[in-house]
Amino acid sequence: MLPLSRALLRRHSVLPGFDLALGFTLLYLSLIVLLPLSAAFMKTATMTWPAFWDAVTSPRVLASYQLTFSASLAAALLNVAFGLVIAWVLVRYDFPGKRLVDALVDLPFALPTAVAGITLTALYAENGWIGQHLPFKVSFTPLGVFVALLFIGLPFVVRTLQPVLEDLSQEFEEAAATLGADRWQTFRRVILPILAPALLTGFALAFARALGEYGSVIFIAGNLPLVSEITPLMIISKLEQHDVAGATAIAVVMLLLSFVLLLVINGLQAWTRQRQGQ
């Protein structure tokens, strides 16, 4: 009777079977992810090695790599710190306007990137509401790129941490306090190890989002050669010059570097979960 019941359950299940679901998953990923990536690699393969090397190591392209990866890394790290504070406040405290603050976190998700870039440029320009009070220049500098990447990456960290904090029982903190731990020791030895996988996930999402950002950065960066040009801009510039192979070459380098960095981050996540399990 038991095998018959299982067969009937599979036959009358609302969800599709494993074979159908797996086939649909592979087909969808192939059309949306693998096919475009394969096209980039195949187009790059039409170049000779000297042409490829010249395309991906020109001074402007190297400067764009440095700015893109350094600004993305710095923005993701800072977002992890402030995102943790914001998520903690939203989960652990009740205050007037809490729902409004919670909704504002999602603003970078809903706001078109071009609108975000124009708004940030207007705010941080030398005569802007914020920029006119600053002793240094933000718009049209690498610092402007950093500010834009902070803006678009924060929600990824906050939304990744919130569910984990909501499930985190305060009994752990009470037990640590009972054993004589102060607040800093409780956070460092009890809370932080539990949040570590979520922090790494939020960092990876914010970092990956920042690497490919274009719309919100292009306006505030100023796009000065060798100073504030990002790598996505170099790809667009190659396409506007009808140099498709050069554009795909730069894109392939970005893809490989991003893949290696994300692989390292995923390895750290797995190592952290293994330590927690032990």
Side-chain angles (χ1 to χ4, degrees):
M1 292 295 293
L2 185 58
L4 180 61
S5 301
R6 290 179 177 176
L8 290 174
L9 179 62
R10 285 198 295 266
R11 183 181 306 172
H12 297 289
S13 176
V14 176
L15 298 176
F18 173 76
D19 296 336
L20 179 60
L22 179 61
F24 176 78
T25 300
L26 294 178
L27 175 63
Y28 189 81
L29 288 177
S30 299
L31 293 176
I32 301 301
V33 179
L34 296 180
L35 189 60
L37 296 182
S38 300
F41 278 94
M42 288 188 293
K43 186 63 179 179
T44 303
T46 62
M47 306 176 65
T48 62
W49 175 252
F52 171 81
W53 186 254
D54 290 340
V56 301
T57 59
S58 67
R60 288 179 64 181
V61 175
L62 290 177
S64 73
Y65 292 152
Q66 181 179 1
L67 175 60
T68 300
F69 280 94
S70 60
S72 299
L73 180 62
L77 289 173
L78 192 60
N79 274 330
V80 165
F82 284 96
L84 174 59
V85 175
I86 294 172
W88 183 275
V89 170
L90 291 175
V91 172
R92 291 299 180 90
Y93 301 104
D94 290 322
F95 54 90
K98 177 180 178 179
R99 292 186 178 181
L100 177 61
V101 175
D102 190 58
L104 288 176
V105 172
D106 291 328
L107 186 61
F109 284 150
L111 196 65
T113 55
V115 176
I118 295 173
T119 304
L120 290 174
T121 304
L123 288 174
Y124 287 96
E126 292 183 351
N127 59 347
W129 289 354
I130 299 176
Q132 63 180 339
H133 301 293
L134 297 177
F136 48 83
K137 188 177 180 180
V138 176
S139 291
F140 315 126
T141 66
L143 183 57
V145 176
F146 174 72
V147 170
L149 297 183
L150 279 177
F151 176 79
I152 57 100
L154 180 63
F156 291 94
V157 179
V158 176
R159 294 311 183 209
T160 303
L161 288 172
Q162 271 186 298
V164 181
L165 286 172
E166 289 172 353
D167 293 336
L168 180 61
S169 175
Q170 297 189 23
E171 294 178 356
F172 296 105
E173 302 166 47
E174 295 171 356
T178 302
L179 295 174
D182 56 29
R183 292 183 177 181
W184 170 243
Q185 290 175 327
T186 301
F187 174 78
R188 183 168 58 89
R189 297 185 178 182
V190 178
I191 299 174
L192 191 59
I194 298 175
L195 297 180
L199 285 170
L200 286 172
T201 301
F203 169 80
L205 292 174
F207 179 69
R209 178 71 176 87
L211 284 178
E213 180 60 21
Y214 177 78
S216 62
V217 177
I218 198 67
F219 295 99
I220 197 173
N223 311 320
L224 301 176
L226 303 175
V227 176
S228 59
E229 286 181 324
I230 57 174
T231 305
L233 174 64
M234 300 306 302
I235 297 175
I236 296 297
S237 299
K238 292 285 186 181
L239 291 175
E240 291 176 347
Q241 299 168 9
H242 305 288
D243 184 6
V244 179
T248 56
I250 299 173
V252 165
V253 172
M254 283 288 292
L255 177 65
L256 293 176
L257 292 175
S258 302
F259 179 78
V260 171
L261 290 173
L262 292 178
L263 188 64
V264 171
I265 294 171
N266 287 332
L268 289 174
Q269 288 178 315
W271 176 75
T272 304
R273 293 192 182 97
Q274 185 177 7
R275 283 194 62 186
Q276 286 185 345
Q278 293 174 352

